[in-house]
């Protein structure tokens, strides 16, 4: 037995040695049966990824740049907010020479109060004296509540940002990082005064629409006049601009809004402008001959577009979105007063608009037309609360179908390819106009109009299937300024991103992820 066991052990050892020899010099025999390898995965939870880097901040510029105006800029020290510390350079109260405000990292420009661009050249002048130019990416803020920028007649602004570096007008609290979704009314705004015709003259004996007919900027204490007879007057260019948290009460019950124009002529260029959280209107236009494309009003606490005193205007691509619990009408056209019969009569044409209404304090209607105004709306989408009228027309002159060149009357308001989702009683009349008359003027079921529409908007303001199904009207037939589009509304679909890059976001509406971020903070480029 002993010899047998010894032999068996020797045979097993020899077999093992032969197997090892067969592996070769560079091979390793696999452990276990049949050469299989069993790997047990580590089930321990991996550590979390590192936190994102903190937001970039800025350091203050070393000083203020030299400008052409003899008064120069005043170095007002520094201001610190969540995005860093900035050098503050205060503009002179009156800019008397053409200047350029360059973009300098770590530098903000401050309005110390009312800042005038040039001096008033009067209603009959033809010269253009001073131009304020502002480079892309520049931020200006109102140092006090009564700060505002006024471009006088015969002078110009050249505020031309880019799609990736807009120019920002804002408030001191915005710089300090103190603003919330409900912040507003922290400074005045931007006012352009021109030499185009206006009505409702300050001088009772003046003839409307002439050089004798002038008006004072609403709320201004010191003289700030506009009006004249040059329909093509040029107050400059504003393009890719944000105006945030404006609307401070300047005097009495009068306050400015983000953008105010008075007697501005058709030579002025207004494109890609955003109003964010104005405590008054998103923009108000007093007379003149105004053209504007790609306007966004979000969070305005009064009307989004207010038009008055003989305005002749063409607006295209307009997004207006209210904040919850704030805002009045989306459109308020003219006022009911004793001078409704003045000429030129207001005639505003609006195409490709999307209005999202979430509250109504006073007018109780999405669109209010009154004061004898002529108005045309084409390719529009209106969404309003179920307790709100879609359209109200006041005064027989506003509803009149009579066309009379002698009194500059173009007839009743016109609607083409306008769809509205409002209350079960979408129409209202007042001061001599009945709801049935308003219904007839709108003409639901004709001209691709629909007052019982069901909206399918995405991302608050982007067309969905129901909007896409509506046949568009060719707005170019209204005026050569308009583009011909194959769609209604301001934004055709998700691929139509004209609003991205140069805007800021609020809870009321987000305009993309590649823009300047929240309106409550400053970009650091």
């Amino acid at each position: 037995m002993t010899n047998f066991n010894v032999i068996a052990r020797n045979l097993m050892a020899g077999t093992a040695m032969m197997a090892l020899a067969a592996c070769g010099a560079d091979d390793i025999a696999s452990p276990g049966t049949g050469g299989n390898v069993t790997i047990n995965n580590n089930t321990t939870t991996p550590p979390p990824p590192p936190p994102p880097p903190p937001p970039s901040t800025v350091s203050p510029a070393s000083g203020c740049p030299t400008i052409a105006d003899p008064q120069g800029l005043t170095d007002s020290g520094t201001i610190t907010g969540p995005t860093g510390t900035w050098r503050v350079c205060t503009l002179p109260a009156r800019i008397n020479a053409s200047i350029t405000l360059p973009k300098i990292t770590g530098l903000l420009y401050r309005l110390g109060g009312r800042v005038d661009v040039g001096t008033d050249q009067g209603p009959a002048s033809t010269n253009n004296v001073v131009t304020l130019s502002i480079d892309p990416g520049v931020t200006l803020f109102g140092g006090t509540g009564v700060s505002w920028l006024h471009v006088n007649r015969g002078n110009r602004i050249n505020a031309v940002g880019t799609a990736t570096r807009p120019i920002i007008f804002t408030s001191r609290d915005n710089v300090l990082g103190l603003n919330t979704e409900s912040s507003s009314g922290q400074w005045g705004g931007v006012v352009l005064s021109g030499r185009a015709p206006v009505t409702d003259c300050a001088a009772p004996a003046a003839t409307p629409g002439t050089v004798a007919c002038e008006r004072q900027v609403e709320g201004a204490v010191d003289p700030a006049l506009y009006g004249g007879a040059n329909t093509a007057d040029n107050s400059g260019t504003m393009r890719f601009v944000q105006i945030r948290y404006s609307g401070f009460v300047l005097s009495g019950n009068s306050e400015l809004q983000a953008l105010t124009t008075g007697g501005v002529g058709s030579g002025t260029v207004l494109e890609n402008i955003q109003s964010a959280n104005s405590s008054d209107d998103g923009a108000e236009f007093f007379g003149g001959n105004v053209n504007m494309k790609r306007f966004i009003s979000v969070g305005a606490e009064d009307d989004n577009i207010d038009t008055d005193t003989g305005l002749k205007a063409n607006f295209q691509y307009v997004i207006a979105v209210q904040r919850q619990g704030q805002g009045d009408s989306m459109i308020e056209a003219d006022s009911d007063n004793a001078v409704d019969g003045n000429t030129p009569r207001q005639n505003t044409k609006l195409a490709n608009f999307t209005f999202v209404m979430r509250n109504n304090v006073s007018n109780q209607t999405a669109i209010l037309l009154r004061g004898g105004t002529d108005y045309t709306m084409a390719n529009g989408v209106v969404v309003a609360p179920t307790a709100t009228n879609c359209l109200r027309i006041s005064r027989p002159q506003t509803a009149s179908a009579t066309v009379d060149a002698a009194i500059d009357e173009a007839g009743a308001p016109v609607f083409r390819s306008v769809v509205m989702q409002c209350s079960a009683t979408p129409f209202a009349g007042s001061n001599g106009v009945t709801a049935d008359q308003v219904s007839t003027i709108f003409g639901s079921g004709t001209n691709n109009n629909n007052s019982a529409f069901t909206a399918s908007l995405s991302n608050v303001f982007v067309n969905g299937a129901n909007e896409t199904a509506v046949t568009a009207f060719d707005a170019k037939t209204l005026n050569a300024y308009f583009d011909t589009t194959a769609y209604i509304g301001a934004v055709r679909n998700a691929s139509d991103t004209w609003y991205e890059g140069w805007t800021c976001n609020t809870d009321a509406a987000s305009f993309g992820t590649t823009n300047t971020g929240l309106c409550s903070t400053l970009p650091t480029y």
Side-chain angles (χ1 to χ4, degrees):
M1 291 293 293
T2 302
N3 289 337
F4 177 81
N5 290 334
V6 171
I7 292 170
R9 287 195 298 270
N10 289 338
L11 286 171
M12 293 173 64
T15 302
M17 291 177 66
M18 291 173 62
L20 285 171
C23 290
D26 298 323
D27 294 330
I28 300 176
S30 299
T33 304
N36 294 326
V37 179
T38 301
I39 301 174
N40 294 317
N41 291 320
N42 185 356
T43 58
T44 304
T45 302
S56 59
T57 58
V58 296
S59 299
S62 58
C64 297
T66 300
I67 59 174
D69 191 285
Q71 296 181 78
L73 299 167
T74 300
D75 189 332
S76 300
T78 61
I79 187 170
T80 300
T83 53
T85 300
W86 308 78
R87 174 71 53 195
V88 177
C89 299
T90 300
L91 295 173
R94 187 178 301 276
I95 300 169
N96 291 304
S98 294
I99 64 170
T100 297
L101 300 181
K103 166 60 183 169
I104 298 175
T105 300
L107 187 147
L108 304 175
Y109 296 95
R110 175 179 177 270
L111 308 176
R114 170 176 168 176
V115 173
D116 282 281
V117 177
T119 57
D120 181 20
Q121 299 299 298
S125 63
T126 57
N127 57 334
N128 291 286
V129 181
V130 171
T131 298
L132 169 63
S133 297
I134 305 172
D135 281 352
V138 163
T139 296
L140 304 92
F141 73 93
T144 67
V146 295
S147 299
W148 56 295
L149 181 69
H150 180 222
V151 180
N152 282 285
R153 290 182 294 189
N155 303 277
R156 294 178 179 173
I157 187 171
N158 188 40
V160 180
T162 68
T164 56
R165 290 202 169 192
I167 292 164
I168 299 173
F169 293 90
T170 191
S171 67
R172 183 174 181 271
D173 278 3
N174 195 188
V175 178
L176 293 172
L178 302 177
N179 284 353
T180 66
E181 288 296 318
S182 61
S183 297
S184 67
Q186 296 174 340
W187 69 292
V190 178
V191 179
L192 309 182
S193 291
R195 299 169 288 196
V198 300
T199 62
D200 297 42
C201 316
T207 300
T210 69
V211 293
C213 186
E214 302 175 278
R215 287 177 56 85
Q216 169 81 351
V217 170
E218 185 176 274
V221 177
D222 297 323
L225 298 173
Y226 61 87
N230 181 7
T231 60
D233 192 36
N234 185 347
S235 294
T237 300
M238 294 183 68
R239 184 183 288 130
F240 294 112
V241 171
Q242 297 176 18
I243 308 175
R244 308 177 179 181
Y245 308 111
S246 61
F248 197 84
V249 177
L250 298 182
S251 66
N253 294 319
S254 296
E255 59 186 337
L256 296 178
Q257 37 278 314
L259 176 65
T260 303
T261 72
V264 163
S266 61
T268 307
V269 176
L270 301 174
E271 296 178 349
N272 298 81
I273 297 173
Q274 180 185 18
S275 164
N277 280 32
S278 168
S279 66
D280 198 52
D281 303 320
E284 187 162 12
F285 304 88
F286 294 91
N289 297 69
V290 180
N291 296 320
M292 180 174 66
K293 282 181 178 173
R294 293 176 292 277
F295 175 66
I296 295 173
S297 174
V298 59
E301 295 178 7
D302 195 5
D303 309 309
N304 286 272
I305 295 181
D306 196 338
T307 53
D308 303 279
T309 61
L311 173 71
K312 305 287 189 182
N314 300 302
F315 302 142
Q316 189 171 25
Y317 311 116
V318 176
I319 299 172
V321 181
Q322 287 182 336
R323 305 194 327 254
Q324 292 290 352
Q326 291 291 337
D328 209 346
S329 295
M330 311 308 284
I331 295 288
E332 181 176 297
D334 222 33
S335 302
D336 289 338
N337 57 39
V339 288
D340 282 355
N342 278 189
T343 59
R345 188 179 302 282
Q346 181 185 167
N347 193 339
T348 295
K349 298 174 182 178
L350 171 63
N352 294 94
F353 58 93
T354 301
F355 294 158
V356 179
M357 189 176 187
R358 292 167 171 153
N359 186 68
N360 196 304
V361 176
S362 175
N363 291 334
Q364 295 299 309
T365 188
I367 300 165
L368 174 61
L369 306 180
R370 60 186 184 182
T373 181
D374 293 324
Y375 218 101
T376 299
M377 304 181 73
N379 299 334
V381 180
V382 180
V383 179
T386 55
T388 303
N389 301 125
C390 296
L391 172 66
R392 180 155 66 94
I393 297 177
S394 174
R395 293 205 177 196
Q397 184 66 58
T398 315
S400 173
T402 301
V403 177
D404 186 348
I407 58 171
D408 196 23
E409 172 59 69
V414 174
F415 299 88
R416 297 290 183 269
S417 299
V418 176
V419 297
M420 304 189 295
Q421 176 182 305
C422 309
S423 73
T425 54
F427 306 110
S430 57
N431 295 320
V433 178
T434 68
D436 286 344
Q437 286 177 294
V438 177
S439 177
T440 300
I441 289 170
F442 181 78
S444 188
T446 63
N447 296 311
N448 298 306
N449 298 325
N450 185 354
S451 62
F453 186 72
T454 299
S456 61
L457 299 169
S458 64
N459 191 36
V460 180
F461 52 81
V462 177
N463 282 356
N466 293 354
E467 291 77 25
T468 300
V470 179
T471 301
F473 176 78
D474 185 2
K476 192 173 283 292
T477 61
L478 302 175
N479 189 282
Y481 176 76
F482 290 110
D483 300 327
T484 298
T485 67
Y487 58 93
I488 69 168
V491 180
R492 181 172 191 169
N493 52 36
S495 299
D496 183 6
T497 58
W498 62 261
Y499 53 85
E500 290 188 359
W502 56 277
T503 49
C504 61
N505 298 328
T506 71
D507 284 352
S510 175
F511 298 99
T513 59
T514 59
N515 58 13
T516 61
L518 293 174
C519 297
S520 56
T521 190
L522 296 186
T524 57
Y525 45 70

